[in-house]
Amino acid sequence: MLDDSTAAATAWPPAYPQGYAVVDVETTGLARDDRIISAAVYRLDAFGDVEDHWYTLVNPERDPGPVWIHGLTSDVLDGAPLFGEIAEEFSERLADRVLVAHNAVFDWSMIAREYARAQRAAPTRQRLCTIALSKELALPLPNHKLESLAAHFGVVQQRAHHALDDARVLAEAFRPSLHTAARDGVRLPLLECRPLTEWSDSPATPRVGYQPSGPHSSAGRYGPGSWRPSRKRPACPYPNPGRYEAGKSLKQGMRVAISGDTSIDRELLEDRAIEAGLHIATSVSRLTSLLVTNDPGAVTSKTVKAKSYGTPVMDEAAFTQLLRDVTPSDGPGTPG
């Protein structure tokens, strides 16, 4: 690990970002109709040194959810600004920086949804998940909780589930992680941040094991590698016709996996695919017909497996176009 005296002497990878915004948000829950109730940002320079920090409460215009966890009651939030009123300042904190968060897909998803509601676009174009980075560095952690990452680097938590303190803890743990990555020549696991252009606040369909009031950091409520709780869906009634062939139509029963951000809310896109008779797969296997991703160069488990299996890859725009006219299955059969 590099300390302050040796950082300047290190050959810093030129491909590394020039600045970071370490973010934490507390929310009313996990669902797509849940809201942000507080947000914190620590701005760091290219070497991970703190430049400044910022914190705000946000009025969610609904009940605050698990008060016993985040401690923010309706009375406290009643006089807080709406997200639209803090969006500009939030944007200034994020602009031209890589968003860093612990389980970053959750924080970014909530932020992107709030910006969509406010009819604004977040300036963030890339994010870095410290869980993914700890895996790249092979850190000997007992689990992927923030408290475990903090303990590994000797960072003391003072107020868990308080956005400002969680962001501080993460910023202090991210700096040595960044220096270790630079020293060892590790490629940072950067992913694209894609703003939402189509979304819904209506309650989602029932989920397996979902507890609406749970915080994003609670264990046992997510699918593998995702903040999204598992959703109960009927089995696809059509047999798998095999892989997608370029230039042809999609066919009912095809197994489709989706990776990374989508402009259409992920759940809406999945629901439309299922309604068209496709099978939405949670992972990529040799049986996968197609991988849909807007970031094919990202080093994720799905993109890596798709490349190794030779699975066809398509972006979201092409996929949504093909969804308009899916070829019927040859006939009913056992679920694919």
Side-chain angles (χ1 to χ4, degrees), residues 108-127:
W108 167 247
S109 295
M110 298 301 293
I111 291 168
R113 191 175 297 281
E114 290 287 6
Y115 271 99
R117 290 188 186 99
Q119 298 183 332
R120 300 175 63 111
T124 304
R125 292 296 173 261
Q126 286 184 308
R127 65 175 179 267

Side-chain angles (χ1 to χ4, degrees), residues 168-189:
R168 174 192 63 80
V169 168
L170 189 58
E172 292 183 20
F174 174 65
R175 184 177 185 276
S177 298
L178 178 64
H179 284 207
T180 301
R183 181 197 65 193
D184 296 342
V186 174
R187 176 183 175 182
L188 298 181

Side-chain angles (χ1 to χ4, degrees), residues 234-259:
C236 181
Y238 308 109
N240 185 354
R243 289 187 170 182
Y244 169 76
E245 296 182 30
K248 294 187 177 181
S249 299
L250 296 170
K251 191 171 185 177
Q252 289 181 331
M254 283 187 170
R255 295 177 64 94
V256 177
I258 303 176
S259 177

Side-chain angles (χ1 to χ4, degrees), residues 22-168:
V22 178
V23 174
D24 186 78
V25 297
E26 295 300 317
T27 68
T28 60
L30 292 168
R32 65 190 186 194
D33 57 338
D34 277 305
R35 305 296 300 271
I36 290 175
I37 54 175
S38 65
V41 181
Y42 268 73
R43 290 196 291 191
L44 312 182
D45 66 15
F47 299 99
D49 294 320
V50 175
E51 295 177 333
D52 58 30
H53 64 268
W54 172 79
Y55 171 76
T56 184
L57 296 175
V58 181
N59 187 338
E61 301 181 280
R62 52 155 290 175
D63 69 275
V67 174
W68 60 93
I69 294 175
H70 53 61
L72 299 176
T73 64
S74 295
D75 290 341
V76 170
L77 297 172
D78 185 53
L82 303 178
F83 186 86
E85 296 171 333
I86 60 96
E88 183 174 353
E89 187 168 6
F90 200 2
S91 292
E92 292 175 1
R93 303 283 167 172
L94 300 177
D96 302 319
R97 296 171 186 267
V98 170
L99 184 151
V100 177
H102 201 66
N103 197 15
V105 65
F106 172 82
D107 294 82
W108 167 247
S109 295
M110 298 301 293
I111 291 168
R113 191 175 297 281
E114 290 287 6
Y115 271 99
R117 290 188 186 99
Q119 298 183 332
R120 300 175 63 111
T124 304
R125 292 296 173 261
Q126 286 184 308
R127 65 175 179 267
L128 187 155
C129 179
T130 47
I131 294 176
L133 181 58
S134 67
K135 292 179 180 179
E136 290 290 330
L137 299 176
L139 299 182
L141 305 178
N143 53 53
H144 297 299
K145 294 181 179 179
L146 177 58
E147 62 189 53
S148 297
L149 183 65
H152 177 77
F153 289 112
V155 180
V156 178
Q157 282 187 298
Q158 297 174 352
R159 296 182 64 185
H161 302 304
H162 185 283
L164 183 61
D165 195 59
D166 281 352
R168 174 192 63 80

